[in-house]
Structure formats: C-alpha cells, structure tokens
C-alpha cells in the first residue's frame, strides 16, 4: 500500500488538533484519581495494573519518556532479570516467559518484562503519563496526602521557573525507586510529618545483601503516612534496608502489597 499526496485529506492542523485535543481529554480525565502512582518502575507498574484491574481510576506519572525504570538495564546492562519463584505469577500473568534458573529463581528478558508489564497496565485501564514528574504532594485540611503536584520533567531538567499543577488522588503511591522522592518530599515539607521509629530519613538504602533486601521490601511496603503508600526500592530506601541488585521478585511482590494496602 502506498500513499498518494493528492488523495490524502489531512493537513498539519489535523495532526495538531488530534494531539492536543486527545491529550487534553485524557489528561482532564486523570486530574481526580483514586490512585496516583509516582514512577513507572516494576513496583509502580505492578501496583497500577492490579488497582486498575479492580476498576479504580489510576494514573502513573513518570518523569522519563520511557517506562520501566530499572528493568531495562537488567544487571550491569545485561538485559535479563532474576526473580524468585514466589513472584513468578506476577510475570506469567502479564505474558512474560520465564526460564528456570537455580536456587528457587527464574530468569526473564528485561525488554519483554518492561514492555509486557506496561502494556498490561494500560490494558487494565491505568493511564500512564510520561515526561511528567511528581514534584510535591497536595495535602488536605488534616495534612493527609490528597494528591500530587506535577510538572513536565523537561521543565525541571531545564531549570525553568514554571509553576506546577495539582492533581487530586485518594491515595498516592511512591514508586520512585532509590531516591524515594515523594516520601522524602513529605518528610521535608509536610508540617510534622514522621514515618515512625522504623523509618529514618538518612537518604538511601543500605549496602547489598540480596536475600535480606528482598525480604525487607515486602515488609516495608505500607502506608507510611496517611494517604501515602511506599513501594519498591523506595520502601527500602526510606528504611535504610539492604539493596539487592538485579533480582526483581521483591519489586513485583511489593507492587502487589501496595495494591493490597490500597484495597
Ligand atoms: O527505580 P525503579 O525501577 O523503581 P522500583 O519499582 O524498582 C527498582 C528496580 O528497578 C531496581 C532495583 C532492583 O534490584 O533496585 O532499581 O522501585 O523506577 C522508578 C521510576 O520512577 C521514576 C524514574 O524515572 C523511574 O522510571 N521517577 C523517579 N522520581 C520520579 C519519577 C518523580 N519525582 N516523578 C515521576 N517519576
């Protein structure tokens, strides 16, 4: 099939209107949410898919233009991820093929995992906005977290002074990974915010101990402040728990735990 310029009926304004009108329609439909997820890594994508599956209105705001967070890089750019057998269903449910490996683990292709996790989250009804970052939270009269403050990632990267926009959400999930940006923002900015004695605010997770890090991830996934659930690496970063490297089952199970916390 070839295209003949003389018979094509669109012009540049068709493209412009199509992009702006359809984006604005979808964006306006996502400014009052059941759940706002910050970060489209494995934990955030898993939580978003499961919550959207329940019929909740869910949006994921991802700073980068690509989704998947740390999945793509596998371990040291080798695009494979290792998962525990206990988390296998969270990948097979989205159609990822697993190879048996050793010591109770399985192997998945990183590209297949990132793309299928994203596609199934979208199919479940989650809206994924790329190039938009969460720079702050909205609080209600009781200082409960009641939404996110968003801006274009490019605005922040360029250092431009541009005021953000607020989005309401009944619950916010911090899936921002190692920097645990939303949780840290809450600690820093919400008057009197504290996550309790188990949580310290020394930035970053502890050094590597893969089994301990994986086990801690799921335990650390919880509502750490009214309206704020922390998941994935962010959950270990705010508790100074161990890092685990390129084993991802804990991230998936943490995403499921975050969804259960909201339910
Ligand atoms: O880091 P990331 O993949 O989060 P995760 O779900 O998984 C961690 C693993 O990938 C890996 C690991 C496994 O051993 O430790 O690191 O905890 O994805 C986090 C996503 O959040 C985005 C960031 O670009 C990435 O895609 N992000 C970070 N801060 C913000 C953000 C923000 N403020 N607003 C929006 N997106």
């Amino acid at each position: 099939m070839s295209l003949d310029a003389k018979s094509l009926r669109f012009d540049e304004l068709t493209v412009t209107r199509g992009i702006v009108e359809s984006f604005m329609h979808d964006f306006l439909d996502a400014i009052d949410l059941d759940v706002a997820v910050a970060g489209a890594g494995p934990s955030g994508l898993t939580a978003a898919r499961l919550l959207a599956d329940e019929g909740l209105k869910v949006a994921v705001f991802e700073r980068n233009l690509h989704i998947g967070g740390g999945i793509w890089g596998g371990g040291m750019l080798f695009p494979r991820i290792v998962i525990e057998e206990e988390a296998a269903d969270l990948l097979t449910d989205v159609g990822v093929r697993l190879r048996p490996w050793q010591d109770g683990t399985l192997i998945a292709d990183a590209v297949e995992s990132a793309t299928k996790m994203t596609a199934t989250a979208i199919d479940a009804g989650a809206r994924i906005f790329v190039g938009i970052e969460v720079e702050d939270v909205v609080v209600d009269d009781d200082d409960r977290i009641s939404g996110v403050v968003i801006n274009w990632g490019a605005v922040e990267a360029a250092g431009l002074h541009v005021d953000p926009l607020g989005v309401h959400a009944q619950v916010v999930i911090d899936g921002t990974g190692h920097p645990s940006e939303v949780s840290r923002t809450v600690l820093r900015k919400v008057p009197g915010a504290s996550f309790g004695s188990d949580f310290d605010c020394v930035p970053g997770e502890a050094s590597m101990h893969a089994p301990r890090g994986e086990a801690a991830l799921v335990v650390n996934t919880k509502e750490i402040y009214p309206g704020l659930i922390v998941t994935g690496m962010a959950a270990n970063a705010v508790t100074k728990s161990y890092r685990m490297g390129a084993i991802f089952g804990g991230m998936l199970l943490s995403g499921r735990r975050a969804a259960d916390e909201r339910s």
Side-chain angles (χ1 to χ4, degrees):
M1 177 94 172
S2 59
L3 295 177
D4 174 5
K6 290 198 187 78
S7 66
L8 293 173
R9 290 179 295 113
F10 71 89
D11 67 8
E12 292 72 19
L13 300 189
T14 313
V15 178
T16 303
R17 280 196 204 99
I19 287 174
V20 175
E21 283 189 25
S22 68
F23 181 78
M24 286 309 157
H25 175 274
D26 294 346
F27 182 70
L28 286 173
D29 191 47
I31 60 173
D32 197 1
L33 296 161
D34 293 320
V35 185
V37 181
S43 60
L45 285 174
T46 300
R49 174 175 65 84
L50 295 174
L51 290 165
D53 261 340
E54 289 178 30
L56 296 173
K57 186 184 266 198
V58 181
V60 181
F61 298 100
E62 166 55 53
R63 166 184 289 148
N64 281 313
L65 287 180
H66 57 267
I67 39 61
I71 305 174
W72 297 103
M76 220 181 92
L77 286 183
F78 297 110
R80 298 288 179 275
I81 60 173
V82 178
I83 66 161
E84 298 87 336
E85 288 167 350
E86 291 83 345
D89 62 316
L90 287 163
L91 284 185
T92 54
D93 282 354
V94 302
V96 174
R97 294 160 297 179
L98 299 173
R99 288 187 219 167
W101 186 234
Q102 301 168 352
D103 304 327
T105 68
L106 302 145
I107 308 277
D109 180 276
V111 175
E112 182 179 358
S113 301
T115 51
K116 289 183 173 173
M117 288 176 71
T118 305
T120 50
I122 293 169
D123 287 346
R127 297 130 167 101
I128 301 184
F129 293 96
V130 291
I132 295 181
E133 68 177 26
V134 174
E135 63 158 69
D136 202 345
V137 292
V138 180
V139 294
D140 69 11
D141 291 345
D142 301 319
D143 276 335
R144 179 191 159 90
I145 308 304
S146 57
V148 288
V149 176
I150 58 170
N151 212 332
W152 300 111
V155 163
E156 176 67 16
L160 302 177
H161 184 172
V162 178
D163 266 330
L165 294 172
V167 168
H168 282 182
Q170 287 172 16
V171 167
V172 173
I173 295 181
D174 180 1
T176 59
H178 294 260
S180 48
E181 290 189 22
V182 181
S183 304
R184 292 195 186 289
T185 299
V186 169
L187 272 183
R188 200 175 71 246
K189 298 183 71 169
V190 177
S194 159
F195 299 158
S197 56
D198 287 350
F199 295 80
D200 71 40
C201 50
V202 179
E205 70 285 339
S207 294
M208 190 179 288
H209 188 307
R212 283 189 193 165
E214 285 289 89
L217 256 182
V218 186
V219 175
N220 290 336
T221 301
K222 57 178 76 164
E223 187 177 36
I224 52 172
Y225 183 83
L228 174 67
I229 295 169
V230 67
T231 188
M233 204 58 217
N236 274 13
V238 294
T239 50
K240 209 152 192 72
S241 300
Y242 292 94
R243 69 185 306 181
M244 68 295 294
I247 181 154
F248 281 73
M251 299 297 155
L252 307 175
L253 294 167
S254 169
R256 179 153 73 193
R257 175 81 168 256
D260 289 346
E261 286 274 304
R262 161 57 186 80
S263 300

